[in-house]
Amino acid sequence: GAGLVLGAALGVFGTKHTKFENTPQGMFYTPNAHLGIALSVLFIGRIGYRLFHLYSMDPGAQPNPNDFASSPLTLGIFGLLAGYYMMYAVGLIRYRHRAELEAPVTPPPAPPAA
């Protein structure tokens, strides 16, 4: 739960540091690459550490299959990543909705004269 809350706060921060552009070709955005990459590397690093720990165990020991997802740190990092991307997606949807409301209404093109 704490990971989700912190991730949501990072998602709001990331949305505020995203560059949005409304052009005639469409709507574009450039996310804050450092934040998204840092969270992804943190999660992948944690999974890698857990896999290393699992494979370096004594071969005679029987690992518990539920042991992988029961680590509070692993679940916290996953919550951080999930909260960030969920809140970031909500921020993108809100921006698009605002941009569509503010866009000037252009009349349809006139039919060609016959």
Side-chain angles (χ1 to χ4, degrees):
L4 280 173
V5 171
L6 188 58
L10 285 175
V12 170
F13 176 80
T15 303
K16 289 183 181 191
H17 288 84
T18 297
K19 181 180 178 188
F20 293 100
E21 298 177 66
N22 243 345
T23 65
Q25 292 83 18
M27 289 185 235
F28 299 95
Y29 69 96
T30 305
N32 182 338
H34 302 293
L35 189 56
I37 290 171
L39 289 172
S40 298
V41 167
L42 181 67
F43 182 65
I44 291 169
R46 180 61 183 170
I47 297 298
Y49 171 77
R50 295 289 293 167
L51 288 173
F52 173 76
H53 185 329
L54 181 69
Y55 288 119
S56 66
M57 287 178 47
D58 179 28
Q62 290 294 331
N64 183 359
N66 295 329
D67 209 20
F68 187 75
S70 66
S71 167
L73 183 58
T74 303
L75 292 178
I77 292 173
F78 176 74
L80 187 73
L81 189 68
Y84 170 76
Y85 282 114
M86 284 189 292
M87 189 56 70
Y88 194 81
V90 168
L92 293 178
I93 292 168
R94 290 181 66 206
Y95 169 76
R96 182 179 178 109
H97 181 69
R98 270 195 318 267
E100 288 174 349
L101 290 177
E102 294 172 359
V105 178
T106 56

